Amino acid sequence: ALRQRYDPNLVVAADVRPPKNPNLLAGGPFELLDVLDRSRLDKLIRQYRPKQIYHLAALLSATAEKNPLFGWQLNMDGLLIVLEAAVAHGVAQVYWPSSIAVFGPDTPRDHTPQVTIMNPNTVYGISKLAGEQWCEWYHRKHGLDVRSLRYPGLIGYKSLPGGGTTDYAVDIYHKAVAGESYECFLEENTYLPMMYMPDALKATLDLMHAPAEQIKVRTSYNLGAMSFSPAEITASIQQHEPGFEVTYQPDGRQQIADSWPASIDDSKARQDWGWQPDFDLDKMTADMLLHLKQMQPA
Ligand code: SER
């Protein structure tokens, strides 16, 4: 999305290993970078002099529960290293994603407000909540223009899911397109906030381009688009694939899902910088199925 908007040669992609997506290599500069390696980050910042850093590296909820200390180290130290480097080198802006995982079992589940009881009970959620407070601190103490969104579960066709609790809503489309049935790891009536990737990209770029005085929340903004259950996404897919079948076999991820909001009140984002999603469940389903079918080997 950034390379579509700017000169692609000025958008440096970085990851801890070479990208599977060849466009990342072909479309502009790519650098190998472990975000925990401060000296390499310093070297790349000196080399490219970026105005903005989008720092996305993290372990997601289910993976971090299995590997808690590494999850904490990557999610927390990674953020602090980026914030410190941004201050040291005068990088103008930092983007860092937070998540619905900052909320916990004591949080009101429906239309969860921007400011409410948090008490997350996953390693991932604890790291995201602490990270939000660090972002606010760096803004207040150092004037760093760091901005953040609490993403709902993100659904896209370009990359496979990796270790999240909301991943079922990506996997399910892949199975439907392959003509297979799907065994869902959440119960059929578990509602979670979700968002289609084009909306997540739009929200991220809109937030980052809004005038600084419009950004009133310096921890992280609630962000919503839709809320559905496994039963509802199944019904949405069945409108296109009537024979598609889903069975339910909840695992440890059910507990994580039960501790998160079912839907989000994102009125602050709407008021402050004009947030408005484009996709609901059925529009997303039509677009996902279309793209995944086009990507299938002939
Ligand atoms: N999608 C993430 C996860 O499921 C939540 O931010 O871990």
Side-chain angles (χ1 to χ4, degrees), residues 25-82:
L25 280 178
F30 175 86
E31 296 286 349
L32 282 176
L33 171 64
D34 178 348
V35 73
L36 297 176
D37 183 348
R38 171 73 196 265
S39 62
R40 170 118 179 106
L41 179 62
D42 282 340
K43 181 173 171 285
L44 291 176
I45 292 177
R46 276 196 292 269
Q47 184 180 338
Y48 289 103
R49 314 277 347 146
K51 292 195 180 118
Q52 299 180 315
I53 296 178
Y54 289 74
H55 165 45
L56 307 179
L59 284 199
L60 287 181
S61 58
T63 316
E65 285 309 286
K66 289 191 191 130
N67 205 343
L69 295 186
F70 179 62
W72 179 256
Q73 186 193 16
L74 176 61
N75 295 4
M76 220 60 282
D77 294 353
L79 173 61
L80 289 172
I81 284 170
V82 169

Side-chain angles (χ1 to χ4, degrees), residues 151-156 161 166-167 169-170 193-197 199-200 223:
Y151 287 139
L154 297 184
I155 297 160
T166 56
D167 287 3
V170 182
M194 299 279 188
M195 181 176 285
Y196 195 34
M197 195 59 83
D199 272 338
L223 187 72

Side-chain angles (χ1 to χ4, degrees), residues 67-119:
N67 205 343
L69 295 186
F70 179 62
W72 179 256
Q73 186 193 16
L74 176 61
N75 295 4
M76 220 60 282
D77 294 353
L79 173 61
L80 289 172
I81 284 170
V82 169
L83 293 172
E84 278 294 306
V87 170
H89 295 276
V91 176
Q93 271 193 314
V94 174
Y95 178 77
W96 174 78
S98 185
S99 160
I100 51 168
V102 291
F103 300 111
D106 302 323
T107 304
R109 282 207 83 212
D110 296 312
H111 307 292
T112 299
Q114 174 71 39
V115 178
T116 185
I117 298 172
M118 315 292 277
N119 293 346

Side-chain angles (χ1 to χ4, degrees), residues 173 196 236 240 281-291:
Y173 286 114
Y196 195 34
S236 178
H240 302 261
L281 173 57
D282 286 338
K283 199 171 162 194
M284 172 175 77
T285 295
D287 203 62
M288 275 294 281
L289 294 176
L290 181 75
H291 282 99

